[in-house]
């Protein structure tokens, strides 16, 4: 018997949660849904926390610090904190709560700066689809921070999240198929 335990990578589940989260943000920021969707967005974002954390744990156990930490903070802020914030926004509109959402700009600014600074890791070690997705998230998050600070970049943020989610779907499908020994075109790393 071997003392080593093989671990499967749950990264594909993380990509599914990420794609759902980014496309919900796209729909909301571009006005395809209104604030009545926020309570559903809260519930779905809360559910997204589970695959994000599963992806984080398996990536860390597999020795991928960059991927594991990224999935971990995505689970914490893209999913869990967003779920709470969407619910707060939904009930604030009903009960007339006076809120200062500018504080969220600081959260998204930090997330955007960290993701932008670590994007070269993905460009060097991940498939092209992952890098394109992360660049879309870079744009979406940076613009979202500015939206909370009062700059009207909601549409640009939303479309950045659309790109992120689209290529996240490619990564999700590719990861699942790859786990079954099947090839799926995700592209080679953009930086050699």
């Amino acid at each position: 018997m071997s003392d080593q335990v093989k671990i499967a990578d749950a990264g594909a589940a993380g990509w599914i949660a990420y794609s759902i989260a980014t496309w919900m943000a796209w729909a909301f920021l571009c006005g395809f849904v209104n604030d009545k969707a926020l309570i559903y967005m809260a519930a779905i974002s809360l559910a997204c926390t589970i695959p994000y954390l599963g992806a984080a744990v398996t990536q860390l156990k597999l020795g991928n610090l960059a991927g594991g930490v990224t999935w971990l903070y995505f689970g914490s802020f893209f999913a869990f904190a967003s779920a709470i914030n969407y619910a707060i926004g939904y009930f604030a509109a009903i009960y007339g709560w006076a809120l200062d959402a500018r504080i969220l700009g600081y959260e998204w600014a930090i997330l955007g700066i960290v993701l932008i600074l670590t994007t070269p890791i993905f460009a060097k070690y991940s498939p092209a689809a992952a890098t394109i997705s992360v660049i879309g998230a870079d744009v979406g998050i940076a613009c979202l921070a500015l939206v909370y600070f009062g700059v009207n970049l909601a549409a640009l943020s939303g479309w950045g999240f659309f790109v992120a989610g689209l290529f996240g779907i490619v990564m999700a499908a590719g990861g699942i198929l790859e786990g079954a020994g099947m090839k799926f075109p995700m592209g080679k790393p953009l930086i050699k």
Side-chain angles (χ1 to χ4, degrees):
M1 288 228 190
S2 172
D3 288 340
Q4 289 187 321
V5 177
K6 285 191 91 175
I7 295 177
D9 181 3
W15 283 108
I16 293 168
Y18 167 89
S19 296
I20 291 169
T22 54
W23 272 19
M24 284 194 311
W26 161 59
F28 187 74
L29 289 163
C30 289
F32 302 135
V33 298
N34 62 33
D35 61 353
K36 302 298 184 210
L38 287 171
I39 197 69
Y40 290 116
M41 292 168 66
I44 294 165
S45 291
L46 192 57
C48 287
T49 303
I50 298 165
Y52 272 132
L53 296 181
V57 168
T58 59
Q59 284 287 297
L60 291 169
K61 286 185 175 263
L62 290 167
N64 181 354
L65 180 70
V69 169
T70 302
W71 285 130
L72 189 59
Y73 76 78
F74 277 23
S76 296
F77 299 103
F78 278 85
F80 194 77
S82 289
I84 295 167
N85 290 325
Y86 290 148
I88 289 169
Y90 178 81
F91 288 111
I94 293 171
Y95 295 108
W97 296 343
L99 302 173
D100 186 352
R102 290 177 298 178
I103 195 67
L104 298 175
Y106 294 94
E107 170 202 8
W108 289 105
I110 291 167
L111 294 171
I113 291 166
V114 170
L115 188 60
I116 290 166
L117 290 175
T118 58
T119 295
I121 296 169
F122 297 96
K124 184 165 177 64
Y125 298 106
S126 299
T131 304
I132 295 166
S133 179
V134 170
I135 292 169
D138 289 343
V139 171
I141 294 168
C143 290
L144 184 59
L146 293 171
V147 166
Y148 282 114
F149 291 135
V151 181
N152 186 9
L153 292 174
L156 183 57
S157 177
W159 285 104
F161 285 132
F162 171 80
V163 170
L166 179 65
F167 286 92
I169 292 167
V170 171
M171 290 301 298
I176 293 168
L177 292 169
E178 190 175 273
M182 301 171 77
K183 295 288 182 195
F184 190 79
M186 296 181 285
K188 297 187 184 302
L190 298 179
I191 296 176
K192 293 188 183 204

